[in-house]
Amino acid sequence: MKLYIKNMVCLRCVMVVKEELNKLGYHYISVVLGEAEVIEDISAGQHEQLRTALLKSGLELMDDKKSILIQKIKNVIIELVHHSEDPLTVNFSEYLSQQLHYDYTYLANLFSEVQGTTIEKFLIAHKIERVKELLVYNELNLTEIAYRMHYSSVAHLSAQFKKVTGLTPSHFKQLKDKRRSMLDEM
């Protein structure tokens, strides 16, 4: 039986779901972002028990098909931005359509209707957050970050970063370095 879970965004969430399934005596085939597949059929009472257990960790079982699809869209974006280093071989709209087997226009309209924002804005927000992380870690230069985050150029990344944060990437990095040196002086 497949279960769809809202707010699963990281490996820690996967571990929490596995732990809760184990506590309740369920045997899972797989647990990935947004989904868990268990061997057993789950009764309504058991479903409610699992729902309550997951809610304590900020996770939510979903039943509504639109909510499940919205969560799948978010999971594809999160996986692509935060966990994949492979460059896209097609544009993002085509990639999303291929992953979810729906027309992109349908996905975009549904996402906007339910979330109140566009898929593109959601994607950009996650990309900028990931760029911030990579700048803070200081392991990659801006050219490498632009490539890893699927930007066509450093200029495109910088322009989008400034539009979202109000700062250039180099200014953001300087602020981080200045804050760190102030903490070191304490």
Side-chain angles (χ1 to χ4, degrees):
M1 173 177 210
K2 263 208 176 164
L3 303 168
Y4 297 96
I5 304 162
K6 187 175 181 178
N7 301 327
M8 280 183 78
V9 296
C10 63
L11 296 177
R12 186 184 158 289
C13 296
V14 171
M15 290 184 342
V16 167
V17 171
K18 286 179 178 180
E19 187 178 309
E20 291 301 335
L21 289 171
N22 285 333
K23 280 183 195 173
L24 296 170
Y26 301 123
H27 303 92
Y28 54 85
I29 298 166
S30 70
V31 179
V32 295
L33 293 180
E35 293 181 10
E37 189 169 357
V38 295
I39 295 171
E40 300 86 1
D41 282 332
I42 296 177
S43 70
Q46 292 170 320
H47 196 267
E48 195 53 43
Q49 188 179 18
L50 180 58
R51 177 186 306 281
T52 302
L54 291 175
L55 272 174
K56 290 176 185 171
S57 298
L59 303 173
E60 188 178 333
L61 276 179
M62 294 184 296
D63 301 318
D64 166 1
K65 290 195 185 314
K66 283 185 178 180
S67 295
I68 291 169
L69 186 53
I70 294 296
Q71 193 60 44
K72 284 182 177 183
I73 293 168
K74 290 179 177 181
N75 290 341
V76 167
I77 291 170
I78 290 165
E79 183 67 34
L80 177 69
V81 172
H82 296 279
H83 305 291
S84 174
E85 295 183 18
D86 300 330
L88 284 177
T89 55
V90 296
N91 67 32
F92 176 74
S93 58
E94 193 173 324
Y95 174 78
L96 189 62
S97 292
Q98 288 172 355
Q99 292 295 309
L100 299 178
H101 310 289
Y102 282 94
D103 178 66
Y104 182 77
T105 304
Y106 171 73
L107 295 172
N109 290 336
L110 176 66
F111 193 89
S112 296
E113 175 189 319
V114 173
Q115 293 298 122
T117 188
T118 65
I119 289 176
E120 182 183 15
K121 286 182 181 175
F122 185 82
L123 173 64
I124 290 168
H126 275 274
K127 285 175 79 170
I128 296 302
E129 284 306 308
R130 182 68 177 135
V131 169
K132 287 179 186 177
E133 287 175 21
L134 293 170
L135 287 170
V136 168
Y137 294 149
N138 209 19
E139 295 173 0
L140 303 173
N141 65 38
L142 209 49
T143 303
E144 293 167 326
I145 292 172
Y147 177 76
R148 180 177 284 184
M149 298 308 301
H150 314 153
Y151 282 95
S152 57
S153 67
V154 172
H156 182 217
L157 164 61
S158 296
Q160 199 168 72
F161 191 93
K162 182 162 182 149
K163 185 177 179 183
V164 172
T165 66
L167 303 169
T168 64
S170 54
H171 190 224
F172 175 83
K173 195 170 179 166
Q174 285 172 348
L175 289 175
K176 185 254 335 167
D177 292 341
K178 186 175 181 181
R179 180 196 258 157
R180 175 154 297 171
S181 67
M182 289 172 55
L183 289 173
D184 290 343
E185 292 169 7
M186 294 176 96

